[in-house]
Amino acid sequence: MRDITVRNPLDMHLHLRDDDMLCLVAPLSAGTFSGGLVMPNLVPPITNLQILHRYKSMIADAIGENSFKPYMTMFYRNYDREFIKNIKESITAMKLYPAGITTNSDSGVSSFDIDTMRPTLETMSELNIPLCVHGETDGFVMDREAEFMDIYETLATAFPKLKIIMEHITTKAATKIVQKYDNLFATVTAHHLLLTLDDLAGGLLKPHLFCKPIAKRHDDKDALVDMATSGHRKIMFGSDSAPHPTSSKECCGCAAGVFTAPIAIQLMAELFIKNDKNIDQSEQNLQKFMSDNAINIYGISPPPKSITLENKEFIVPKIYKNKQNEVTPMKSGETISWRIK
Ligand code: NCD
Ligand code: ZN
């Protein structure tokens, strides 16, 4: 199999954390990606420009010499117009979390009352600031995303000019809704393209595959794979790489999040490139999914970076660590079939 190249790969949903964890994980994204949309769910969350600028300079220090553009996000609240005008130039999007639904989201949105949200969302729409949404209710864990579809439809209809990104979609239902409204777009993760609930909990429990939203059924995964691998313009890669210390994953009360940053591009090459016969088309679709679609959806111009992958075995490191932290990646110790050249 010949080598393949991805130009300006983008990770449009990335958790870089802060402090020592940031120092450990940031180079693992910045080494291969051209840029990433950085999630704001720190403790405390990123809710003002002061915290945002401080965080951005911590990221710049952590990525060092790598050319990598952090696209910053503000933690969604019902902010007033003045506030939003002030932050516009410093952010790429706002990220909305339903309160308490996932890691560090306690101060998220507790009511989806459209009239309460209207001033903020209208201002965002007018200023062309995309709204990224963690779309889950607090219902039964397998139904949470599907139950959120009504909220997506209400938002998409009430704010037709607002770009709404359905983050880390996991269901067939979401692949349908995203195509139904002009202003809806989606990210999907590597793990949701590769896993079902069976991989996580069908045999011995695999804590490193536990995340929010949880991996779903085979027909859900198949619908996600079909949409992503077709290069559909409305779907883009967002790893949701969410590192937690190994000790917080391998314990009673396992934290939610799958750490995929160091192997994300390789896993996507493995998924998209099936054989030599249709390699040109597959490579083009991979390019759309890993970069071009995000560039078009967000209207961004990432720093140029070309990543070449070769169809050779790569053994995924068991752990990544620095003095203070240890994280376990997805496929820890396993062999994958593509590697960075
Ligand atoms: C993410 C985290 O750990 O920050 N966890 C996860 O399971 N995906 C938060 C999120 O994106 O839901
Ligand atoms: Zn996330």
Side-chain angles (χ1 to χ4, degrees):
M1 187 97 70
R2 69 163 169 83
D3 295 347
I4 57 159
T5 297
V6 182
R7 282 168 281 111
N8 313 328
L10 291 166
D11 183 347
M12 298 315 284
H13 184 132
L14 177 62
H15 297 273
L16 287 177
R17 311 302 193 207
D18 54 10
D19 299 329
D20 300 320
M21 184 62 101
L22 169 66
C23 294
L24 174 62
V25 302
L28 299 172
S29 286
T32 46
F33 286 92
S34 191
L37 191 76
V38 181
M39 292 297 121
N41 61 332
L42 302 182
V43 185
I46 298 183
T47 51
N48 65 50
L49 272 189
Q50 201 192 351
I51 308 181
L52 183 127
H53 287 315
R54 199 186 325 128
Y55 187 37
K56 201 172 169 187
S57 77
M58 284 171 75
I59 294 170
D61 290 344
I63 62 182
E65 295 301 297
N66 292 296
S67 114
F68 176 86
K69 172 122 179 144
Y71 294 100
M72 304 304 290
T73 60
M74 188 68 75
F75 192 94
Y76 180 94
R77 282 182 181 157
N78 294 318
Y79 298 112
D80 65 32
R81 189 178 171 78
E82 214 38 45
F83 179 91
I84 302 167
K85 276 169 82 174
N86 265 326
I87 63 171
K88 153 127 182 106
E89 293 309 321
S90 305
I91 61 167
T92 301
M94 279 214 235
K95 174 70 188 284
L96 186 158
Y97 293 92
I101 208 68
T102 188
T103 311
N104 304 337
S105 64
D106 291 353
S107 63
V109 169
S110 46
S111 152
F112 282 89
D113 177 54
I114 290 291
D115 288 328
T116 311
M117 301 173 80
R118 188 178 304 279
T120 306
L121 295 178
E122 266 175 3
T123 307
M124 287 174 64
S125 173
E126 191 188 307
L127 299 177
N128 200 18
I129 301 173
L131 175 74
C132 300
V133 182
H134 183 119
E136 288 196 286
T137 67
D138 59 2
F140 179 65
V141 71
M142 285 295 277
D143 297 336
R144 285 178 189 178
E145 183 174 291
E147 286 174 4
F148 201 88
M149 291 303 132
D150 285 351
I151 301 179
Y152 278 129
E153 295 206 63
T154 305
L155 290 172
T157 310
F159 307 99
K161 296 234 154 64
L162 177 68
K163 254 181 206 166
I164 301 170
I165 323 290
M166 304 163 67
E167 293 296 331
H168 44 51
I169 59 169
T170 63
T171 54
K172 190 174 178 177
T175 65
K176 297 229 165 90
I177 296 295
V178 69
Q179 296 181 60
K180 190 169 154 195
Y181 295 88
D182 284 348
N183 57 333
L184 290 185
F185 302 89
T187 58
V188 65
T189 73
H191 46 285
H192 292 114
L193 290 168
L194 298 172
L195 305 172
T196 68
L197 183 62
D198 256 5
D199 296 293
L200 159 65
L204 295 178
L205 190 69
K206 305 271 177 47
H208 297 293
L209 305 182
F210 172 63
C211 66
K212 303 286 179 67
I214 205 155
K216 305 287 188 317
R217 299 170 189 282
H218 284 279
D219 60 339
D220 293 310
K221 189 189 77 166
D222 294 346
L224 298 170
V225 170
D226 283 349
M227 190 171 175
T229 57
S230 74
H232 195 291
R233 67 176 183 86
K234 290 191 135 205
I235 196 161
M236 57 193 155
F237 180 69
S239 70
D240 194 16
S241 179
H244 291 275
T246 299
S247 58
S248 307
K249 296 288 292 174
E250 296 178 359
C251 63
C252 181
C254 163
V258 181
F259 178 55
T260 51
I263 52 163
I265 300 183
Q266 300 89 312
L267 289 179
M268 291 302 90
E270 202 168 67
L271 177 73
F272 276 63
I273 314 289
K274 290 281 180 237
N275 53 53
D276 259 327
K277 257 208 247 134
N278 56 10
I279 191 163
D280 293 337
Q281 185 64 55
S282 306
E283 190 180 21
Q284 278 169 30
N285 290 349
L286 181 65
Q287 177 63 35
K288 289 181 191 165
F289 178 64
M290 296 299 299
S291 180
D292 299 357
N293 292 347
I295 287 175
N296 293 333
I297 292 166
Y298 277 99
I300 51 177
S301 330
K305 186 186 260 184
S306 272
I307 295 297
T308 299
L309 295 119
E310 56 184 347
N311 187 212
K312 291 213 171 107
E313 287 190 346
F314 174 73
I315 301 172
V316 180
K318 284 216 156 96
I319 54 165
Y320 291 84
K321 63 187 273 193
N322 61 9
K323 273 204 184 109
Q324 292 79 12
N325 281 288
E326 177 193 303
V327 282
T328 304
M330 181 177 163
K331 299 215 177 253
S332 162
E334 292 175 36
T335 302
I336 58 177
S337 62
W338 285 84
R339 67 182 186 200
I340 310 284
K341 196 161 173 179

